[in-house]
Amino acid sequence: MNAGHSAPGGFIADQLLAPNLADFVRTHRTFPRPPEHPRGLSRPALAARCDVSASYIAQIEQREKVSPSPEVVDAIARALELTPAERQHMHNLAAPKTPGPRTHDPMPVTAMLTLITDDLRAAADDLMPHLSGYIDERWNVLWVNETYDRAYPRLLDVVNILVWFFLVPESRRVMLEWEDEARLTVNWFRWHMGRYQDPEWAMELLAQLSSCEEFRTMYLAERVDFERHQPLMHLRDPDTLEPYSVRVRITDVPGVDAPFQWFIGIRQPFNGPASLLTE
C-alpha cells in the first residue's frame, strides 16, 4: 500500500507516498476479481498473463525494477485490464529517469500568477454570471471570477481545491455529488503527479491531507483520470440552497504555455437526478 514503510526506506506508517510503479502494480494486481480471483491475482497468475516471471513481478513490486520496458508495461496493463488513462499513467511511472521538462519541479505558483494577465481576467469576467477561473495542476486556484468565488465558499481562503473538498465543511453543503467530485479530483491529481518523475512538490499537500480518512481511501485506490466522464456538476447555492447545474469545460489557455488550465462552468437550471435532492 502507498502509505509509507518502515526500514529500509524510513517512512512512517501513515505517510502517503508520491505515485510509484511498485504500489500501482501491487494495488491493481490485488483488486478482487470475482469469482475466479476474489483476492485478486497472485504474482504467478499475473506473470502467466503477461509472459514474464513471477520474480520479475516481485522485483517491480519491491522497487527493485523501476523502469521496465514499454512492451512489458503494455503486457502488464493488458493483464490487469487497465483503462487507457491507467495504462498511460503506468507508462509515466515507468519512464526512465532521464533529463527532461518533467524531471524537476513544475513552475512555481508565484510564477504562474504573473501569467494571469488583465486580458485573461477580463475573459473570465466576461463569462459572468457563469463560473470561470484558472487552476494549476496541483489544484491551486490562481484566479477566478466572482461567480466562481461565490459558488465554492471559502475556497479562496484555502487556495487548493483538494484541501477545500476534504478539510472545508462547506464543500459538502454545496456539492450535491461530493463523493464523486472529490474522487475525480483526487484521481486527476494523481494523474498529474505521475507525469513528473520526481513529484516531491506534492508531498506537503499529501501530508496536509493524510489525516483525512476519506482522502486516504481515494488516494490509495490508485485510480487515475485526466478528464471528466460527464459534463454536469450539480451544486447548491450557498445562500439560498437552491440546486443548480453547471456544464463544465476544462481547457488549456489559448496562447499560454504554462501548466495551468481554464475552468469554464456554464450555469443552468438543475438538471440532475431527483435522488440528489432527497439525500
Side-chain angles (χ1 to χ4, degrees):
M1 296 291 286
N2 187 329
H5 301 269
S6 56
F11 302 113
I12 58 177
D14 61 352
Q15 179 181 344
L16 294 173
L17 305 179
N20 61 84
L21 184 65
D23 288 329
F24 183 81
V25 171
R26 185 189 309 106
T27 300
H28 283 267
R29 176 179 64 80
T30 56
F31 279 159
R33 299 170 185 270
E36 293 88 355
H37 302 283
R39 296 184 178 181
L41 299 172
S42 66
R43 285 173 178 169
L46 174 57
R49 287 188 175 197
C50 51
D51 197 27
V52 298
S53 67
S55 62
Y56 192 94
I57 299 298
Q59 287 179 315
I60 291 175
E61 294 186 359
Q62 293 167 0
R63 296 180 172 81
E64 297 171 4
K65 182 77 68 175
V66 297
S67 296
S69 69
E71 293 76 18
V72 169
V73 170
D74 281 333
I76 295 175
R78 287 192 297 269
L80 293 176
E81 300 174 351
L82 300 183
T83 67
E86 290 166 345
R87 180 191 297 261
Q88 183 58 57
H89 181 63
M90 189 174 170
H91 275 287
N92 292 341
L93 296 178
K97 303 300 184 283
T98 55
R102 292 196 174 275
T103 59
H104 306 294
D105 288 345
M107 182 182 294
V109 174
T110 52
M112 280 189 280
L113 288 173
T114 66
L115 301 178
I116 308 297
T117 63
D118 290 342
D119 286 343
L120 291 180
R121 294 186 183 93
D125 277 339
D126 285 346
L127 289 173
M128 290 196 297
H130 304 295
L131 293 67
S132 183
Y134 305 101
I135 315 296
D136 79 358
E137 295 177 310
R138 289 157 286 184
W139 290 113
N140 293 316
V141 176
L142 302 177
W143 192 88
V144 298
N145 66 15
E146 291 181 10
T147 310
Y148 186 113
D149 181 20
R150 183 175 178 276
Y152 306 107
R154 293 189 57 207
L155 173 54
L156 295 188
D157 293 340
V158 296
V159 178
N160 185 273
I161 293 174
L162 278 170
V163 173
W164 181 79
F165 263 113
F166 291 98
L167 301 183
V168 175
E170 284 85 346
S171 70
R172 300 171 191 264
R173 183 163 63 93
V174 300
M175 299 295 298
L176 290 177
E177 293 181 295
W178 181 90
E179 184 173 353
D180 289 344
E181 294 291 346
R183 181 179 293 109
L184 176 60
T185 306
V186 172
N187 294 352
W188 208 326
F189 176 68
R190 177 177 277 281
W191 159 261
H192 279 302
M193 287 181 69
R195 296 167 67 202
Y196 287 89
Q197 296 183 8
D198 185 19
E200 288 301 314
W201 50 266
M203 298 313 296
E204 182 177 348
L205 180 58
L206 289 180
Q208 185 177 3
L209 293 167
S210 63
S211 61
C212 177
E213 192 59 37
E214 288 166 300
F215 175 80
R216 295 181 64 86
T217 298
M218 294 179 189
Y219 184 79
L220 294 173
E222 296 277 352
R223 296 296 191 183
V224 296
D225 285 297
F226 53 82
E227 60 183 12
R228 296 185 62 86
H229 300 297
Q230 57 91 13
L232 292 181
M233 180 184 295
H234 307 295
L235 300 98
R236 287 189 188 276
D237 185 285
D239 297 321
T240 67
L241 299 185
E242 288 297 314
Y244 64 99
S245 298
V246 172
R247 183 167 295 275
V248 175
R249 181 184 180 191
I250 299 177
T251 183
D252 291 335
V253 182
V256 176
D257 184 19
F260 66 84
Q261 294 181 304
W262 191 0
F263 176 101
I264 300 173
I266 304 301
R267 181 165 175 161
Q268 59 188 53
F270 179 72
N271 193 24
S275 59
L276 291 178
L277 305 181
T278 59
E279 294 178 355

